[in-house]
Amino acid sequence: MQASEVAPAAPPKAQVADKPADSTVKRARYDVAILQALDKVTAETVRFEAAVGQPVRYKTLVFTVKACEQAAADEPMEDSIAYMTIDSQPKPTPGRPTPAPRQVFRGWMYASSPGLNPLQHPVYDAWLITCKANAPVMAPAAVSPPAGTKPATLAGKAAKPTAPAAKPAASEPKPVALKPAVSAKPAMPPMPANPPNP
């Protein structure tokens, strides 16, 4: 075989697939997750809000939501999804060192399928209800004096100088007060003292 008969192979043409236009809809992100917790011992349930990035304590559990999303319009099922960590840490007692937290859950929780990735704890159960946007703080409307009065006085009374109101910090949400929603237990009939013998 002669060298002239062997020619270098031409590089194959790059197979570039036509990229379709990006028509996927992104999930909407929210800054507050609504969670529900159950104390299996006392049957006490409580529903509370946890702002993203702000730890919230329920008894010995500390919830920290990292992200909260709603399913996009092009997804087959409407759902709320939250990524969170849950730590177990007893409340500090005076005179004793604070025990180190122990992580009992880390992952995504799905509102439509609470059993898909559940919290596995012997005393407590918790699940995601939904995600929501934090409501903006509404400033009180300024009261304008009636027509014909001087700006410094209102109805003949001297206006008192007021200190400017401190604006709430946007990054510091108000602490969440957990109000337990105790479910009523059904009344059980009394047991007979001596059951009848058959």
Side-chain angles (χ1 to χ4, degrees):
M1 198 190 240
Q2 297 179 354
S4 61
E5 292 177 5
V6 179
K13 292 184 180 179
Q15 298 288 332
V16 179
D18 293 336
K19 203 172 190 182
D22 189 18
S23 62
T24 59
V25 180
K26 293 188 177 183
R27 290 180 173 172
R29 288 246 171 159
Y30 293 88
D31 53 357
V32 175
I34 299 176
L35 305 169
Q36 187 158 337
L38 165 70
D39 185 334
K40 298 175 189 176
V41 176
T42 63
E44 174 189 38
T45 60
V46 65
R47 187 174 286 194
F48 58 96
E49 296 180 355
V52 172
Q54 299 293 322
V56 175
R57 176 181 283 276
Y58 170 69
K59 297 193 177 186
T60 62
L61 297 181
V62 178
F63 295 81
T64 307
V65 178
K66 307 286 186 179
C68 200
E69 301 176 346
Q70 290 277 11
D74 62 346
E75 292 187 56
M77 190 168 149
E78 187 175 323
D79 198 4
S80 296
I81 307 109
Y83 185 80
M84 69 181 76
T85 60
I86 303 173
D87 297 325
S88 178
Q89 182 181 26
K91 292 182 181 178
T93 55
R96 292 188 177 176
T98 304
R102 182 177 54 90
Q103 191 173 75
V104 294
F105 179 83
R106 181 181 71 193
W108 290 94
M109 278 193 181
Y110 302 88
S112 66
S113 305
L116 185 62
N117 193 16
L119 165 68
Q120 295 178 353
H121 193 277
V123 179
Y124 303 110
D125 196 3
W127 57 94
L128 174 69
I129 301 297
T130 189
C131 299
K132 74 170 201 167
N134 200 0
V137 178
M138 299 296 291
V143 178
S144 58
T149 59
K150 296 180 183 177
T153 62
L154 184 59
K157 295 181 182 176
K160 294 179 182 177
T162 58
K167 293 182 181 179
S171 63
E172 297 178 14
K174 294 180 180 177
V176 177
L178 301 180
K179 295 180 183 176
V182 179
S183 59
K185 293 182 184 178
M188 295 187 62
M191 296 286 293
N194 292 324
N197 291 331

